[in-house]
Structures are given as C-alpha cells and as structure tokens.
Amino acid sequence: MPELSRNQKAALVILLHYEEERRKARERMLLGKAIDPTEKLQEGDLSGETAKILSKKVGITSRYMYQLLAVYKSRLDLFQLVKDGKYSINKAYTQMKADEAPEVVEEVPVEILDVDEWQAEYLLIAENVERRGQAESDPIKKARIAQFLKEYWGVKNGRPEKLGHNGQVSKTTADIAETIGESEKSTRSWRGNIRNWATVA
C-alpha cells in the first residue's frame, strides 16, 4: 500500500478528530451532561487553535491545516479529493474560494446614436479608419468613400464650401486623401477627378 502524503494524512486527522468529538458529545448526552460553551474543538469550529493542534499531529503548518478545515466545513467534495490524494490542500482551498467568488460580468458602455443615413455611413467610415488605419484598400471602394466624403463635407473642385453636410469645420481634398490613404495629388487626378473615380465599375 503506497504511503499517504501529508495532505492525505491531514484529511484523515481532521476526520478522526471530528469523529472523536462526536463520540464525546454522544457520551455527554447519554450522561445528561451539558456541553461546555467554552470548549473550542467542536464540529463547526475553525479557530486557529484547532488548526494548530491538528497541524502538529501531521507535521504541516497551521495555515494549511486551517485551509483544509475550511474546505472540510464548506466543500466535502473538495475535501474528499484531498483525502484521495487527487488535490493538494492549497488547490482545494483555492478552488473553493474561486467557486465562492461572484461571477464578474464586465459592463461595456454602449452609446446609442440617433443619426440619419449620411451620418451613420460617415461614422462607419471613421470607425474603420480608426480600427484599420485606413477606410479601405480596394480602389473601387476607396473611390466610393472619397465621393461620399466629398459630398458629405461639401468639397467642390478641391475647395470646401463654408459648411459641409454635418455643419462642422470645412474640409478639403487633402482631408479626403488622408482618410482614404492616398496622396492629395492622386486623389485629385486619378481617373480625372473624384466623381469619375467613384463611378468606375
């Protein structure tokens, strides 16, 4: 028969200790004696003194014995795993504490925007630029985005109107070029102008 580990011995010492305490309690009841309220070594007791006494019998620290006593009181299934040699005291105690901890659900703030189709498309383009570094890599899609931004920002022949669709500070062809990841020159000249570029294919 293989020799028991210290963890298993600790579990057996706890079982024997509480079996002895139950036996003593039954004897007192048969003799009609009241239980001494100052007695510390009772079934539900998890005092440091109990852990200290029992740890000396096994040769482990009182901290580990205290942890195993806590497991014995709250999680007999984990205690049994220690007794069977499948779990260490520390693993059983850590598992018990993890199971007791409330599940944390991280709340992600959500902002709901009430926008028209134009603003929704603009926000989508802006989000793609922020996430990927550019709105698109496909030239045809780039052209369509450029045409949309031209209209949205109110850019005419490379010059901005006083206010674009969004009523914000005026934008120029340079802003469109930066958004789609092209040079201003290529944005102005590729296939003649942005309108022709956007209508290809």
Side-chain angles (χ1 to χ4, degrees), residues 61-173:
T61 65
S62 56
R63 180 174 65 90
Y64 280 126
M65 185 59 79
Y66 184 89
Q67 289 178 348
L68 189 55
L69 284 165
V71 172
Y72 174 73
K73 181 181 180 185
S74 301
R75 290 290 302 274
L76 284 176
D77 57 328
L78 294 175
F79 181 85
Q80 185 64 43
L81 291 173
V82 175
K83 180 176 170 287
D84 293 343
K86 296 176 181 176
Y87 269 30
S88 67
I89 293 171
N90 188 52
K91 184 175 180 180
Y93 184 77
T94 302
Q95 181 66 54
M96 179 184 77
K97 287 299 180 184
D99 293 345
E100 288 173 357
E103 185 178 343
V104 178
V105 178
E106 187 178 342
E107 291 187 18
V108 178
V110 176
E111 184 181 1
I112 300 174
L113 301 174
D114 184 17
V115 295
D116 60 26
E117 287 182 26
W118 271 68
Q119 289 172 307
E121 188 169 347
Y122 177 74
L123 291 171
L124 182 62
I125 291 167
E127 195 266 337
N128 283 339
V129 169
E130 184 178 339
R131 184 163 39 90
R132 296 189 301 193
Q134 62 179 22
E136 264 301 337
S137 56
D138 180 273
I140 302 302
K141 291 180 180 177
K142 271 189 180 186
R144 290 185 181 135
I145 290 169
Q147 180 62 32
F148 171 82
L149 292 176
K150 179 184 175 209
E151 293 172 14
Y152 186 82
W153 285 334
V155 178
K156 290 193 175 181
N157 298 323
R159 296 180 181 178
E161 292 181 348
K162 289 183 180 178
L163 290 175
H165 170 81
N166 58 358
Q168 300 298 315
V169 177
S170 298
K171 300 282 187 176
T172 66
T173 304

Side-chain angles (χ1 to χ4, degrees), residues 176-189:
I176 296 173
E178 183 180 347
T179 302
I180 64 173
E182 293 288 334
S183 70
E184 185 176 355
K185 185 178 179 181
S186 66
T187 302
R188 286 181 190 278
S189 63

Side-chain angles (χ1 to χ4, degrees), residues 36-52:
D36 183 354
T38 63
E39 191 171 4
K40 295 293 183 184
L41 302 180
Q42 296 301 315
E43 180 86 35
D45 179 58
L46 290 179
S47 71
E49 191 60 34
T50 302
K52 199 172 184 181

